[in-house]
């Protein structure tokens, strides 16, 4: 299963990128310049992952040349990293493969949260509120959802490999995890989009309250994954925004209690949306 993860990740990344390009062309050809511009704008946050990838290349002793910078400028830096993982699997050691796989899994998760998630929200809103019969936006939204869910699954897969013995979860476990992530993300995104369609900007109030609750909760847990105080606060605020949509475990040890709190707040959030 370990060797299949980078291949599936690369295939989904290619499918998602192709569908996004089709959506951009679709809006431009139909003269929907507003949706065209917003879809283009969703690409911009993805450069954070590309910049971090360049910095990690430099930290690993591989100063990026012009061609590598060009790849990252075209947002193909992660494609290069996946290709490096596949080449390392063919002739490298297990430690090298694990290190490269970890880097690309973390970077892909960051890119998915910053770029794929906004694109998913936008295309879902278009399908629900603007053009219910839109095939291309629907396909783009579906592939974005699957790609985002797989980014979360591949990150979980990597954390499993970090355990003693480098145990890789069975394919059935990975499939169940993918279904869970897809269902969780899909319902959250659909609920927010439907709420936005009915109550417009009130959705930001609901999401803001959820973000504040999650951020304060993370601060109360004293998450020490980031050492510097200012970066620690920023990390908790950013992770609180992620918790609007999904749960990511960033602390070692049992997580049942934390997951229960997350789902309790999420359920309260959905009930508030329903009552309004």
């Amino acid at each position: 299963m370990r060797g299949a993860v980078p291949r599936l990740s690369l295939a989904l990344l290619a499918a998602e990128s192709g569908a996004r390009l089709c959506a951009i062309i679709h809006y431009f050809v139909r003269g929907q310049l507003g949706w065209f511009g917003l879809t283009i704008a969703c690409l911009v946050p993805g450069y954070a992952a590309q910049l971090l990838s360049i910095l990690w290349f430099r930290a690993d002793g591989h100063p990026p040349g012009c061609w590598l910078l060009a790849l990252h400028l075209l947002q193909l830096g992660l494609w290069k990293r996946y290709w490096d993982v596949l080449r390392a699997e063919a002739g490298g050691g297990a430690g090298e493969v694990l290190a490269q796989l970890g880097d690309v899994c973390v970077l892909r998760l960051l890119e998915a949260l910053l770029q794929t998630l906004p694109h998913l929200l936008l295309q879902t809103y278009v399908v629900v509120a603007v053009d219910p019969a839109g095939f291309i936006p629907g396909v783009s939204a579906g592939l974005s959802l699957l790609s985002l869910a797989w980014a979360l699954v591949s990150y979980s897969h990597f954390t499993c490999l970090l355990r003693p013995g480098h145990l890789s979860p069975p394919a059935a476990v990975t499939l169940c995890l993918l279904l869970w992530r897809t269902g969780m993300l899909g319902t959250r995104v659909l609920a927010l989009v439907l709420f936005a369609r009915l109550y417009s900007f009130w959705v930001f109030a609901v999401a803001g309250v959820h973000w504040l609750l999650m951020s304060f909760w993370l601060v109360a847990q004293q998450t020490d994954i980031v050492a510097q105080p200012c970066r620690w606060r920023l990390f908790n605020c950013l992770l609180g925004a992620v918790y609007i949509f999904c749960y990511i475990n960033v602390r070692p040890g049992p997580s049942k209690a934390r997951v229960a709190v997350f789902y309790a707040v999420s359920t309260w959030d959905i009930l508030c949306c329903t009552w309004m």
Side-chain angles (χ1 to χ4, degrees):
M1 185 63 195
R2 181 189 301 183
V5 169
R7 291 176 174 83
L8 287 174
S9 300
L10 188 56
L12 279 174
L13 182 59
E16 178 204 346
S17 300
R20 183 186 292 114
L21 179 60
C22 289
I24 292 173
I25 296 174
H26 169 77
Y27 293 133
F28 181 77
V29 170
R30 298 185 61 178
Q32 297 175 320
L33 299 183
W35 300 117
F36 168 80
L38 289 174
T39 305
I40 292 289
C42 289
L43 293 171
V44 177
Y47 280 106
Q50 303 296 324
L51 177 60
L52 189 59
S53 176
I54 292 175
L55 295 177
W56 284 3
F57 269 122
R58 180 172 298 175
D60 292 338
H62 304 288
C66 293
W67 68 275
L68 189 58
L69 291 175
L71 285 177
H72 285 80
L73 185 62
L74 295 173
Q75 295 202 356
L76 297 175
L78 300 192
W79 296 52
K80 166 68 168 58
R81 285 186 173 273
Y82 278 122
W83 179 251
D84 290 343
V85 172
L86 294 176
R87 288 197 306 173
E89 286 182 345
E96 180 185 358
V97 173
L98 185 61
Q100 293 186 7
L101 181 62
D103 287 347
V104 73
C105 284
V106 173
L107 289 171
R108 176 55 192 147
L109 179 60
L110 178 63
E111 184 184 57
L113 293 173
L114 294 178
Q115 184 183 85
T116 305
L117 181 56
H119 181 81
L120 170 61
L121 288 167
L122 179 65
Q123 302 308 315
T124 304
Y125 184 83
V126 170
V127 172
V128 171
V130 179
D131 186 13
F135 175 75
I136 293 180
V139 171
S140 182
L143 287 174
S144 295
L145 174 61
L146 186 60
S147 181
L148 176 57
W150 180 253
L152 291 164
V153 171
S154 60
Y155 172 77
S156 300
H157 179 269
F158 165 68
T159 57
C160 289
L161 294 179
L162 289 179
R163 297 174 182 174
H166 292 177
L167 299 176
S168 181
V173 174
T174 303
L175 178 60
C176 291
L177 187 58
L178 178 62
L179 293 175
W180 168 56
R181 288 295 192 181
T182 304
M184 181 65 189
L185 286 167
T187 53
R188 293 293 295 174
V189 168
L190 186 59
L192 286 173
V193 167
L194 290 174
F195 188 87
R197 181 187 180 187
L198 293 175
Y199 300 103
S200 187
F201 292 103
W202 279 103
V203 68
F204 294 106
V206 174
V209 171
H210 189 106
W211 168 69
L212 286 175
L213 288 174
M214 291 290 102
S215 298
F216 287 139
W217 178 52
L218 287 167
V219 171
Q221 294 182 63
Q222 297 295 319
T223 308
D224 57 356
I225 191 173
V226 181
Q228 293 85 351
C230 59
R231 295 182 180 180
W232 172 75
R233 296 188 184 94
L234 178 61
F235 173 79
N236 286 325
C237 290
L238 293 176
L239 192 60
V242 173
Y243 276 16
I244 297 175
F245 302 94
C246 60
Y247 176 81
I248 300 177
N249 187 27
V250 295
R251 294 186 61 191
S255 59
K256 292 181 180 179
R258 296 192 294 272
V259 172
V261 172
F262 169 78
Y263 279 108
V265 175
S266 299
T267 303
W268 172 83
D269 195 12
I270 294 175
L271 289 176
C272 288
C273 292
T274 304
W275 290 338
M276 291 182 65

